[in-house]
Amino acid sequence: MNIKKLIPILEWLPNYNTSLFKGDLVAGITVGIILIPQGIAYALIAGLPPIYGLYCALVPQVMYAIFGSSRQVAIGPVAMDSLIVATGVSTLALAGSDSYISIAILLALMVGAIQFIMGIFSLGFIVNFLSKPVITGFTSAVALIIGFNQFRNLFGVDFVQSDQLQYVVEDIWLQLSSYNFHTTIIGLISVVVIIIFRRINKKIPNALIVVILGIIIMKYFGHSFNDVSIVKDIPSGLPLFSIPEFDFDLLRELFPIAFTLVMVGYLEIISIGKSLEAKQDEYRIRPNQELIALGLSNMMGSFFKAFPTTSSFSRSAINQESGAKTGMASLISVVMVVFTLLFLTPMFYHLPKTVLAAIIIVAVFGLVNIKEAAFLWKANHLDFWLMLATFLGTLLLGIEFGIIVGVGLSLIVLIFRTSRPYVAELGKVPNSDFYRNRSRFEEVIIEDDILIFRFDAQIYYANSSYFRDKLDEMAIKKGDALKLIVLDAESINRVDSTGVEMLKERIKFYKKKGVTFLLAGVKGPVRDDLFRSGILSIIDLNHFFMRANGAVQFYKTGCREQQEKYAKYIHQAYH
C-alpha cells in the first residue's frame, strides 16, 4: 500500500523548500485576507453567528491540506453550501438559536461521514450522473438565489428568505419602496468599489478594502448612520473540541439536505480541482481521495463547531494566481484566521452587514454562466434545454428539487440517447474494400440485394426494439430483392440478454424469408456474450467476419478462403 496516496501531504512535504514557501506565503496571506470577511458573510447566509464562518476556516483547511490530492484548492465556507444549510435547518429551528447552531454542526458531521464512506468505497463515479449542462444550470440558479436573498441586507429591508426565487422577487417588489437610504448607499458603493478593483486586478483584496472602509465609516461617522445594521460583537478565542449532539429522528430529517450538500460539495471540489489541475503538470486530482479529504474536513470540522464546508471557486482561483504551490498556503491562511480569532474580532464590531451583502452579491453573480448557455444553444440544443430545465427547476422549486431535476433529466437524456442511437446503411466506396454511410457519402455503391446495417451503440433492453424496428424498416425498403443482411458490429461494445434474444429472433425471421444474415467486426467481449447465449445454434461459425467487405465477398463468390482464416482464429479461441 502506497502511504503517499492515502496521505498526499507526504508527496510534497519531504521535498519542501524556501522557493516553494515564497509562493505559498503570498498566496496564503492573500487568501486569508479574503477568507476572513467572506467567512463572516457566509455565516450570516447560513443563519449562524459570524464567528462560525471563521471556525469553518480552521480545522477543515488543515485536514484538506493533509489529505487532499489538489495542492491549490481552497477549502472553507462557501455561499452555495451556506444557503443550502439555511434552507434545510431553518425548517427545524429558529435561525441563530442554540438548537439551530447544533443542528448545523451535526449536519457537517453527517455530510462528512457520507463523503468519507463514498470515498472509501470508490463511489466518486456517482458525480458522472450530473452532466456539465446540469452543473451549469444548477450553479447559475443557486448564484441568483443567493444574490437575491442578500438584498435584505443590501437595502436594509427584511425581505423574505427562500430558496425559491419567485417568492423572494415578489417580496422585494412589494417592499422595495421602504428601503433604508443609508444602508443602500453604503451597499451600492461597496458593490461599485469591488467591481472596479476586480477589473483593475483580481489579486487586489477588494473584499478587505470595502470591509475596512465600512468599519471606518461606521466607527467614526456612525452617528450619521445609526440606522445601518452592523455585525456587532464577535466572540474572541478558538473553538473547543466537542462532539455534536446526536438525535436519530433528526438524522433522518436531515438526510435529504445532507445528501444535497454531499453532491454539491463534491461537484464543486472536482470542478475546481480539475480546472486547476489543467494549469500544471506536478500532480493529478484523484476523485475518491477528494471525497475522503472533504469527508474528513467536514467530520473533524464538526468537532470544532464548523458547519458544512467545501472548496471555493473564487479563493481557489486566487490561491493559484497568487503563486500557491502546495497545501502550505492553506496552513498559512489558517494561521491568519487563528490570529484574527484571538486578537482582531473586536475590530469587526462596526462592520456594516450591507458591505458583507455587497461582497456576496458580486461574488455569486459572477457564477451565472451566460457564455456557457450561449455555447450550448449553438452546439447542442438538447444540452441547452437540459441546462435550462435544471436552471428553472432550481430557481422555482428550490435547491433540493433542483438537484433531483438535474439528476433525473440527466438519466432520462442518457437513456434517450442510448435507446435511440445512430443507425446507418453502408455502401461500398468505389474501387476499394471500404463501406461508408450512404447518407454522408453520395458516391458509395448500394446494391438492391444487400443491406449493410450499422448500429452505433450497445444493444440492450432499452434499445433492442429500436434496433429491430430500424433493421426491419431498411429491409422493407429493399423489398423482395433482399438476399443478404450484414450487421456491421464495430460500434457495438456490449450486448445484454434482451439484445441477444432479439438478435437471434431476427436471424431466424430473415432465415425463414431466405435472407442470409452475417456479422462483421464483432468485438471479442460481444462475441463471447453471443456464443454463451447460443447464437451458434442458429447460425454457423463461418457467418462471422472481420470486415463487412469479407462478408459481402463470401456471399457473392461463395469463396471461403478468407473466412477460413477467421474461423480458425475463432476455433483456437473457443475450443
Side-chain angles (χ1 to χ4, degrees), residues 124-141:
F125 70 89
I126 290 175
V127 78
N128 295 332
F129 289 107
L130 288 176
S131 62
K132 188 175 180 181
V134 167
I135 297 170
T136 300
F138 179 76
T139 54
S140 297

Side-chain angles (χ1 to χ4, degrees), residues 1-7:
M1 182 180 293
N2 189 344
I3 190 68
K4 291 183 179 180
K5 294 292 183 183
L6 298 176
I7 309 177

